Amino acid sequence: QVQLVESGGGLVQAGGSLRLSCAASGRTFSNYITGWFRQAPGKEREFVASISWSIGYSRYADSVKGRFTISEDNAKNAVYLQMNSLKPEDTAVYYCATKPLGVGSYDYWGQGTQVTVSS
């Protein structure tokens, strides 16, 4: 069984930084695409960033380009989201998810971690 566990969320002032972590059991990240998504209150879930170490791929939403960096540590089977220059509009529950290469839908999701950015 695949389990994803996010951590690292919290309360931070605008302009600050946080690093989110996603640890996996039952699946090796290096063979899959792993993504970060977020959902703010009253809004739909949106894509933030994704990465696949095996094919040298990473992608970002326009709203976070230049501020967020996604990375993968294959030794720890973990994926990270470094978030800098945070804005109040980044406030959301952040989820990591994973899917096999070449498949459209993410098939495993974590429980989410809350990020709150105060102005």
Side-chain angles (χ1 to χ4, degrees), residues 7-78:
S7 61
L11 173 63
V12 64
Q13 289 189 330
S17 298
L18 283 174
R19 189 177 84 150
L20 305 183
S21 300
C22 177
S25 60
R27 176 169 285 185
T28 302
F29 276 141
S30 60
N31 298 327
Y32 295 83
I33 292 176
T34 303
W36 284 98
F37 296 78
R38 66 187 182 186
Q39 187 167 21
K43 295 187 177 182
E44 294 188 352
R45 185 173 59 200
E46 63 175 358
F47 168 80
V48 175
S50 60
I51 189 169
S52 174
W53 176 85
S54 61
I55 58 174
Y57 159 99
S58 64
R59 187 166 71 95
Y60 297 90
D62 288 342
S63 59
V64 306
K65 279 181 183 176
R67 300 189 299 122
F68 290 11
T69 302
I70 190 169
S71 61
E72 191 170 312
D73 185 333
N74 294 320
K76 296 182 178 179
N77 202 31

